[in-house]
Amino acid sequence: MNTAMRLPCQERPDDLWFADAPDEVALAQALCRGCPVRRACLEDALDRGERWGVWGGEIIHDGVIVAVKPRVGRPRKDSTAA
C-alpha cells in the first residue's frame, strides 16, 4: 500500500465508525465504499471478533453483520405489560 495514501478511517474521527445516529452510520458506510482495503478490513474485523461498528462498509452489531443498526435505548414497553 502506498504510504502516502490515507484511508477514510484515518481521515475521520474514530467515533464515526461506532456512531449511533443512522445518518452517521450511513456516512461511515458510504466512505468505506471506495476504500481499497474494504474487503480485508471486514475479514480482519470478523476474524478478530469485533463486536460493534462499521467495518469494511458493513455494520457489525453484537458480533454479527446486520443490515441496519438497532436503535439505542430501552425497547418500547408492550402495551399489554403491566
Side-chain angles (χ1 to χ4, degrees):
M1 176 173 21
N2 181 351
T3 56
M5 181 178 23
R6 300 270 303 163
L7 303 175
C9 57
Q10 296 171 326
E11 295 178 342
R12 300 287 181 136
D14 292 343
D15 58 349
L16 176 64
W17 314 102
F18 301 95
D20 289 321
D23 59 329
E24 291 178 336
V25 173
L27 174 59
Q29 288 182 290
L31 291 168
C32 288
R33 283 190 194 107
C35 183
V37 297
R38 179 180 179 186
R39 171 171 255 140
C41 174
L42 178 59
E43 289 173 3
D44 289 346
L46 293 172
D47 288 346
R48 283 191 311 272
E50 291 290 347
R51 306 281 299 157
W52 317 104
V54 174
W55 298 92
E58 299 291 340
I59 301 167
I60 297 180
H61 179 78
D62 204 18
V64 297
I65 296 173
V66 296
V68 177
K69 184 171 180 172
R71 295 174 63 76
V72 295
R74 289 177 57 165
R76 291 178 157 247
K77 289 184 177 182
D78 188 323
S79 60
T80 60

